[in-house]
Amino acid sequence: MAHKTAVKPGSPVRLRDHDPDECGGLAKRDPEVTKKLKADLETLCELQERLYAENCQALLIILQGLDAAGKDGTISHVMRGLNPQGCAVTSFKEPSTEELAHDFLWRVHQHTPPRGHLAVFNRSHYEDVLVVRVHKLVPKSVWKKRYDQINEFEQMLHESGTRVIKLFLHISKEEQKRRLEERLEDPTKQWKISASDIPERRRWDDYVEAYEETLTRCSTEYAPWHVIPANRKWYRNLQVADIMVTTLREMAPQWPKPSVDVSKIKVE
Ligand code: AMP
Ligand code: MG
């Protein structure tokens, strides 16, 4: 069953129709909020353990969002209880010379999860239809074809046993301003500021347009996009954990049968 935040395949997305302040009628301090997150994080651990033991399917979570949308925060809050042995995070920065010498999917394909694993992409191949489009890093004739290329790539992953879920962390322009200002003031956050943050912010509308086309064209049955209201960090975490639990439950990893007849084995 499609999750409530999932973008229906083929339906046009307009971000102004999605409220980044949405919090499901809940409040940060509601005891049920803390309880639900705790329960989901525990379930997540248990399901990851089964996924690893089953060694049959994989899960890829793609995180996208504008600067300061909370990609790093989501990773640290939602993934913190996972067993590092079956989990990997890859952050995609500006491509290297070597990466640029290949097709745009080359660098991401190497980091898709093997069977039994869960992988998180902090940015992804979607940058190749986002920043690349906004900054005209390749001609339109090149990036236009990438929507179909991405869909086919993700379909291939799906058919090979990898579930793909894509999360767009949706913040408002005002919230981004608040977060960037906070980074400027807080010595423990200043390292996160990059020279591009302010010029990128001026291109907000171009990014919105690029995201809307991406979410519209690349939300599929086999690899849905979710628009996550992300102005409130606690609600964002709650949503992401809930989507991950729902997806893993659907995948229903099973404890494998023992390879030996355990009734015949005695530990001496
Ligand atoms: P951050 O996520 O803040 O560490 O920043 C990473 C930077 O790398 C962002 O400014 C992205 O736009 C940039 N980036 C990621 N992928 C690509 C790409 N394929 N082409 C150009 N820039 C990219
Ligand atoms: Mg940044």
Side-chain angles (χ1 to χ4, degrees), residues 12 46 95 142 251:
E46 196 189 306
V142 173
M251 291 166 73

Tab-separated table of all heavy atoms in Angstrom, residues 12 46 95 142 251:
chain	number	residue	atom	x	y	z
A	12	PRO	N	1.418	15.291	-11.248
A	12	PRO	CA	2.322	16.440	-11.168
A	12	PRO	C	2.483	16.949	-9.742
A	12	PRO	O	1.505	17.045	-9.001
A	12	PRO	CB	1.641	17.498	-12.039
A	12	PRO	CG	0.298	16.977	-12.369
A	12	PRO	CD	0.172	15.559	-11.952
A	46	GLU	N	15.468	-4.416	14.533
A	46	GLU	CA	15.093	-5.819	14.453
A	46	GLU	C	14.932	-6.244	12.989
A	46	GLU	O	15.424	-7.298	12.573
A	46	GLU	CB	13.767	-5.939	15.192
A	46	GLU	CG	13.350	-7.316	15.564
A	46	GLU	CD	11.919	-7.251	16.089
A	46	GLU	OE1	11.660	-6.456	17.032
A	46	GLU	OE2	11.063	-7.964	15.525
A	95	PRO	N	31.399	15.841	-8.395
A	95	PRO	CA	32.112	14.687	-8.948
A	95	PRO	C	33.591	14.972	-9.215
A	95	PRO	O	33.957	16.100	-9.561
A	95	PRO	CB	31.385	14.419	-10.274
A	95	PRO	CG	30.211	15.326	-10.310
A	95	PRO	CD	30.334	16.336	-9.241
A	142	VAL	N	21.095	16.749	-22.751
A	142	VAL	CA	21.705	15.658	-21.970
A	142	VAL	C	20.893	15.385	-20.696
A	142	VAL	O	20.503	14.253	-20.418
A	142	VAL	CB	23.184	15.974	-21.634
A	142	VAL	CG1	23.763	14.932	-20.680
A	142	VAL	CG2	24.009	16.053	-22.909
A	251	MET	N	8.791	-5.715	2.905
A	251	MET	CA	9.827	-6.609	2.373
A	251	MET	C	9.844	-7.940	3.132
A	251	MET	O	10.250	-8.965	2.591
A	251	MET	CB	11.204	-5.937	2.462
A	251	MET	CG	11.345	-4.750	1.511
A	251	MET	SD	12.787	-3.720	1.900
A	251	MET	CE	14.121	-4.762	1.344
